[in-house]
Amino acid sequence: MRIHLLALMLMSTPALAQSPLSALVAEYETGPAAIFQNDGRYGPTGTSYEAGDINQKDNLYRSQRIALEARLGQRHGIILLYAPFDITTRATLAKDIDFRGTLFPTGTVVDSRYLFEGYRASYLYRLVNGERFTWDIGASVQIRNAVVAFGSVDGTRYAKESDIGVVGALKTRLRYELPSRVWAGLEADALSTLGLLGNTTGGIYDVALTLGLPLNTKGDVHAYARLRLLGGGADVKQRDIYNWGNFGFAVLGVQADLVSLVERALPPT
């Protein structure tokens, strides 16, 4: 987190106001997340299990995201996003679970870790640039850093599956602003392999509904409330991996246009 804050401070310089950027919007959000589904099976003899088997549905979990969007003129935008999600739960197993060839018998107390970090870059083209309504379309590419691990509390058994992969998606974003300057937005990233990639079946979706309002008269700082549904997974037969999950988020956030803030902070020339 300190690295991101330092990067934003370095960008907030007089040179920023003289750059070709029409806007540079920094955004941070945080709030509770719920696991609706998280099915897994790992290894050629692996046991299928669900979120309820390892107590992942028992609690809400804190989530956060940070993003930076560069607007190049009126039509083009580039977004960089970091979205971590890392939880550990403890459960007494009600059934035997084979994880990558390691057997965790019924009654074993296990700590289960689920890490899914996303580093995403997106390009958007503004198809409609109205006074109150805008519509962007484009594509995203995401580097996925994932770890799923089981460990018995007594330290006698441990197994994990780790993976770094690249996932692509189509992207769209719509925004409508009321005369009061309160605005509503819909943003979605989604893609499915549709069974066209040999022995791999997978998909991803990330859909968010947002309600925002300006925090100053200039309108370069906004607060917002957001509901997000995130899901997807893959069945990779050649690696004996199956995971499919669906997650819900209810977050509060703030976004600020650094170009506008720097321009207003600089003395007139």
Side-chain angles (χ1 to χ4, degrees):
M1 186 61 188
R2 285 177 292 181
I3 295 176
H4 297 298
L5 292 176
L6 178 61
L8 294 180
M9 292 172 62
L10 292 174
M11 288 184 290
S12 298
T13 64
L16 181 61
Q18 302 170 5
S19 73
L21 298 173
S22 58
L24 185 63
V25 180
E27 182 175 292
Y28 177 77
E29 66 183 44
T30 186
I35 297 179
F36 302 139
Q37 176 190 11
N38 195 12
D39 301 337
R41 185 182 66 251
Y42 299 90
T45 60
T47 304
S48 296
Y49 66 90
E50 300 178 353
D53 296 325
I54 49 177
N55 291 343
Q56 288 184 343
K57 291 186 176 182
D58 289 0
N59 295 99
L60 298 175
Y61 307 95
R62 180 174 178 261
S63 69
Q64 58 181 335
R65 287 188 174 201
I66 186 169
L68 191 66
E69 177 177 1
R71 297 299 309 178
L72 307 173
Q74 296 297 313
R75 295 289 181 181
H76 306 280
I78 297 173
I79 305 172
L80 300 178
L81 169 73
Y82 172 55
F85 190 61
D86 189 1
I87 66 167
T88 298
T89 59
R90 178 168 292 185
T92 301
L93 297 182
K95 66 178 183 179
D96 293 352
I97 293 182
D98 180 316
F99 191 103
R100 273 288 169 213
T102 298
L103 180 64
F104 296 84
T106 302
T108 304
V109 181
V110 299
D111 286 334
S112 173
R113 184 187 184 197
Y114 184 81
L115 166 69
F116 192 99
E117 287 184 315
Y119 301 84
R120 186 186 303 171
S122 304
Y123 167 75
L124 285 173
Y125 176 78
R126 183 146 294 175
L127 197 63
V128 177
N129 192 27
E131 181 179 355
R132 300 204 177 279
F133 176 73
T134 59
W135 180 22
D136 300 301
I137 59 172
S140 298
V141 61
Q142 177 167 295
I143 298 175
R144 176 194 68 247
N145 180 43
V147 175
V148 183
F150 273 45
S152 61
V153 173
D154 64 12
T156 59
R157 294 174 174 86
Y158 180 79
K160 75 170 184 176
E161 178 72 42
S162 58
D163 177 64
I164 298 174
V166 179
V167 180
L170 300 177
K171 185 177 184 68
T172 190
R173 183 173 64 187
L174 299 93
R175 172 168 163 158
Y176 181 77
E177 185 175 306
L178 298 170
S180 63
R181 299 175 70 184
V182 173
W183 54 274
L186 168 65
E187 186 169 357
D189 294 76
L191 189 70
S192 173
T193 65
L194 301 174
L196 300 178
L197 297 180
N199 291 326
T200 299
T201 301
I204 184 174
Y205 75 89
D206 185 353
V207 181
L209 290 172
T210 305
L211 184 65
L213 71 158
L215 295 181
N216 58 12
T217 55
K218 180 68 174 178
D220 50 18
V221 181
H222 295 254
Y224 63 82
R226 177 170 290 160
L227 296 177
R228 180 186 305 280
L229 286 174
L230 172 67
D235 184 0
V236 187
K237 298 186 184 303
Q238 63 267 35
R239 292 189 56 193
D240 299 303
I241 295 174
Y242 174 84
N243 178 235
W244 199 273
N246 287 286
F247 312 92
F249 303 80
V251 300
L252 296 176
V254 62
Q255 56 182 217
D257 180 359
L258 302 182
V259 170
S260 179
L261 290 176
V262 170
E263 286 177 344
R264 293 199 289 117
L266 292 175
T269 57

